[in-house]
Amino acid sequence: MPAEAIESKTAVSQNHQGSFFRQSGWMMITAVGGGALMFAVQIIARGFLKDDEYSAFVALIQLTNWMMIPSLGLQMVFTQQTAAARTEQQRHELVGTMKSVLLWTFCLWLLMAVIALGGMNHWVEVLKLKNATSLVLTLLVGFTMLWQPIFQGLLQGRQNFFWLGWVAVFNGVGRLVIGGFIVLALHGQASGLMTGVLAGLVLAVGTGGWQNLDLWRETSAKFDVAGWLKRVVPLTLGFGASTFIFSADAIAVQDYLGANGAAADYMFGSTLCRAIVLFTAPLAAVMFPKLVHSRASSQKSDLMGLTLLVTGGLCGIAVAGLWLVGPIIFHVLKKDPNGLMLPLMPMFALGMVPLGMGNVLLYNLMAHSRFKIVPATAALAIGYWFALQHFHDSFKMVIETFDIFTVVYLGICALFNWVLDKDPGIAVETIATQP
């Protein structure tokens, strides 16, 4: 291989790694900032809401994660399509897709709202709600969460990480300012905090839409429904399984163990542990469009291995930090008087590590359109829900079930990355000859 080609390849690799760490650093900063705002909301909620209202609030937040599952593939598909849009025709196709999907997701939300309102009494009973107001607000939150991934995917695919980071911060600002005011000044309960969640998401979606206004002015190409569905369905099922495993325990605990606010301490402790995955998620978010762009440009990238290594290290640091800080937070808030949840938090936090690392491997597979893993992750999610229906006698049993399934999840992701759906890679000679 010519020396110039080797030097060019080295320079490209160093540039990719440099931008990766710079953009990842910014995303980590905004993730921590947004996370701090979200955590402040949790402190207010745990400190000023009644136990049953707080437990219901956390369950509603996890329910919104379920409502978002139909749109999970949207962010990844828009990220892929935007990152790969290298010609004028591809850009017109992107615009046509954006406008059509915004319309169809609104129609999907209407269908979901009708179904939810029709079974309102059932959900009020399962989630132990005092009234239906919180559920109605949750439905409105669900609508914004269907549109949010579209605009975030456009920002992510365009590698506009500056505003993608601010979207996360604005989301937290809205929740804290509006929700906190309603709770502290107006003595609102779960419905007041859900109003804050809605305000934060409206601010986030509005910011994302504003940053992509230029696309609205461009000519739209015909929307390829069949081709689009071939991409979005596997992505939705793949990322939906991860989201389901991440959040299903809260719904099960609230249903089986949440009478009279008995699950409040579990909900607070689990929220602290879930922050471990949310803290490391920006790394995979930065990695994804870069891998898509590298694939579209026929360039080999080592970002997945680097992201996996850094994610594992950060997860370990987060687990250690939570082990040290968790007892202090519970003590300051004077919660968990019976000591049911605090001793279980290290076990729960450790279960988040394979989930976070598995997500990196899943992102790598999805970025390269390697979808053979999808039936396996979907089956795992279904199996997890069935397991929760039988193993829910105590907080410890639920957490043990969660840990088992996250370890299996990481194993499946590793198996498909390196054995069952191994990527043949790109020849070095091909890379060297790229213009």
Side-chain angles (χ1 to χ4, degrees), residues 67 134 310:
M67 296 175 66
S134 297
V310 176

Side-chain angles (χ1 to χ4, degrees), residues 16 19-21 23-24 27 76 79 83 156 159 161 164 239 280-295 301-309 311 356-368 417:
H16 275 217
S19 64
F20 171 75
F21 280 113
Q23 292 163 346
S24 295
M27 291 298 293
M76 297 303 105
T79 300
Q156 189 176 353
Q159 300 192 40
F161 294 112
L164 183 61
F239 290 113
T280 58
L283 292 172
V286 172
M287 176 192 75
F288 188 86
K290 293 185 179 297
L291 291 180
V292 173
H293 183 76
S294 296
R295 183 172 182 264
S301 174
D302 60 353
L303 281 181
M304 191 274 285
L306 180 63
T307 305
L308 187 64
L309 179 64
T311 298
M357 296 183 69
N359 286 344
V360 174
L361 297 175
L362 182 66
Y363 267 69
N364 181 62
L365 291 168
M366 299 295 102
H368 292 91
N417 261 274

Side-chain angles (χ1 to χ4, degrees), residues 249-434:
D249 65 286
I251 305 297
V253 167
Q254 180 69 355
D255 186 13
Y256 293 109
L257 303 171
N260 301 317
D265 290 323
Y266 175 91
M267 295 299 188
F268 185 64
S270 66
T271 299
L272 294 178
C273 293
R274 268 182 256 275
I276 295 171
V277 173
L278 299 177
F279 172 63
T280 58
L283 292 172
V286 172
M287 176 192 75
F288 188 86
K290 293 185 179 297
L291 291 180
V292 173
H293 183 76
S294 296
R295 183 172 182 264
S297 305
S298 299
Q299 295 177 341
K300 190 175 178 63
S301 174
D302 60 353
L303 281 181
M304 191 274 285
L306 180 63
T307 305
L308 187 64
L309 179 64
V310 176
T311 298
L314 289 176
C315 281
I317 294 172
V319 169
L322 185 60
W323 179 73
L324 293 172
V325 176
I328 299 174
I329 296 173
F330 270 92
H331 177 72
V332 170
L333 294 177
K334 296 181 173 60
K335 301 300 180 182
D336 198 28
N338 299 318
L340 295 178
M341 186 59 194
L342 191 56
L344 300 175
M345 284 184 59
M347 183 195 307
F348 204 174
L350 287 172
M352 294 294 169
V353 177
L355 182 60
M357 296 183 69
N359 286 344
V360 174
L361 297 175
L362 182 66
Y363 267 69
N364 181 62
L365 291 168
M366 299 295 102
H368 292 91
S369 299
R370 293 157 60 189
F371 298 139
K372 291 181 181 179
I373 192 176
V374 170
T377 54
L380 184 68
I382 294 172
Y384 179 49
W385 182 245
F386 277 108
L388 287 174
Q389 305 313 301
H390 294 88
F391 302 103
H392 54 250
D393 294 345
S394 67
F395 295 162
K396 182 180 179 182
M397 185 178 290
V398 171
I399 293 172
E400 288 173 342
T401 304
F402 171 80
D403 284 0
I404 290 171
F405 275 85
T406 58
V407 170
V408 174
Y409 170 71
L410 174 59
I412 289 174
C413 291
L415 191 64
F416 276 89
N417 261 274
W418 292 305
V419 180
L420 299 181
D421 193 12
K422 188 175 181 180
D423 188 356
I426 303 169
V428 174
E429 290 77 7
T430 304
I431 303 168
T433 57
Q434 291 301 313

